[in-house]
Amino acid sequence: MKRIPTEEAKEQFLQLIDQLDDEGFVITRDGEPVARLTKYPNRFAKYIGSMKDEIKVHGDIINVGDRWVKGRQW
């Protein structure tokens, strides 16, 4: 894991974010680690596209119309 002094991290923060990989960076002050910059885990990435070809949509799923609210007193 690459180590970066706090002053350098402060000056180059946006570039560090652009260069961020799975390992991340350790930010140091006076040679001692004080923080670690890593990617935020996306817990749901494995689900994106996982149901492709498993679900079939019939009709308009965006506009449910009045049939769901008939007979209700609002």
Side-chain angles (χ1 to χ4, degrees):
M1 192 174 294
K2 185 175 179 183
R3 297 169 70 99
I4 300 172
T6 52
E7 288 303 316
E8 186 179 327
K10 180 180 174 182
E11 294 168 2
Q12 300 177 4
F13 186 71
L14 295 177
Q15 291 86 5
L16 290 175
I17 290 176
D18 290 338
Q19 298 171 7
L20 201 54
D21 59 10
D22 291 334
E23 192 173 277
F25 300 100
V26 172
I27 300 173
T28 62
R29 178 180 287 147
D30 299 326
E32 295 295 317
V34 293
R36 185 172 68 197
L37 179 63
T38 60
K39 287 185 176 182
Y40 191 80
N42 185 348
R43 302 180 312 163
F44 303 106
K46 63 183 176 186
Y47 298 115
I48 296 173
S50 66
M51 296 298 291
K52 183 179 179 189
D53 299 325
E54 298 291 324
I55 297 175
K56 303 221 182 315
V57 176
H58 301 281
D60 185 0
I61 64 171
I62 304 301
N63 183 11
V64 295
D66 291 335
R67 63 188 169 140
W68 283 22
V69 293
K70 280 187 179 175
R72 293 200 181 197
Q73 301 293 324
W74 298 100

